[in-house]
Amino acid sequence: MANAAEAFAEPRDGYARIGDLAKTFGVSLRTLRFYEDKGLLSPRRDGSVRLYSRRESARLKLILLGRQVGFSLREIKQMLDLHDPSGSNVKQLRVTLEKSEKQLARLHRQRAAISEAIDQLETAADVVRDRLAQRAVAAAAS
């Protein structure tokens, strides 16, 4: 995302063109079209021009956040599609919490695996350093 001021700036007519939205969120036009093809975004059309409302901009923020924390596009769509502007959204909140807790558990497992891999690689690198140092000493002595 370019910066917070740009991200929250609204065009005078309440709609942003695809290029403006792409620039604001630091994504490509292709990405926005892809999200549209997947049913995640539904911009208004004025001829061939895509116009994104404040609602679509908010959906894009949530899509990008979801992707950043590791949700699949399918999971993101499931959560977004449960939103009811006139309802309490209890079901959406429950599903989002359930998916978030599962993703947190997955990320914690990944972090543990990465920590273990780092420890093993550091140990291996220490062994290689020691062997190189030993060979350097042996070469200097001969």
Side-chain angles (χ1 to χ4, degrees):
M1 204 175 294
N3 66 46
E6 288 178 2
F8 293 101
E10 279 294 318
R12 274 183 262 145
D13 62 0
Y15 288 89
R17 291 173 174 254
I18 189 170
D20 296 331
L21 195 68
K23 182 179 176 186
T24 298
F25 287 94
V27 298
S28 68
L29 301 178
R30 184 176 178 187
T31 296
L32 293 176
R33 290 186 200 108
F34 178 77
Y35 290 159
E36 182 181 351
D37 288 343
K38 295 295 180 185
L40 291 159
L41 296 174
S42 301
R44 190 179 104 193
R45 297 280 188 138
D46 185 9
S48 65
V49 176
R50 289 173 169 89
L51 299 170
Y52 293 84
S53 67
R54 182 178 295 179
R55 176 182 180 274
E56 295 304 307
S57 179
R59 284 178 68 94
L60 180 58
K61 286 179 195 176
L62 293 172
I63 292 164
L64 296 175
L65 173 62
R67 293 300 293 150
Q68 184 178 8
V69 299
F71 286 120
S72 70
L73 290 179
R74 187 172 146 240
E75 290 171 316
I76 293 167
K77 184 171 180 358
Q78 289 171 346
M79 290 183 279
L80 290 175
D81 287 350
L82 290 172
H83 181 71
D84 177 6
S86 61
S88 67
N89 292 303
V90 171
K91 184 175 181 180
Q92 180 192 32
L93 294 171
R94 283 188 181 137
V95 168
T96 300
L97 179 59
E98 178 186 326
K99 288 184 181 299
S100 295
E101 288 173 342
K102 284 181 182 177
Q103 182 62 13
L104 272 169
R106 189 173 329 155
L107 291 172
H108 283 295
R109 286 191 304 273
Q110 287 176 346
R111 180 169 51 189
I114 289 169
S115 291
E116 185 177 331
I118 288 170
D119 290 344
Q120 289 176 1
L121 189 55
E122 286 175 341
T123 299
D126 288 343
V127 168
V128 171
R129 277 188 209 96
D130 288 345
R131 287 188 182 163
L132 281 173
Q134 289 170 2
R135 291 199 170 92
V137 167
S142 13

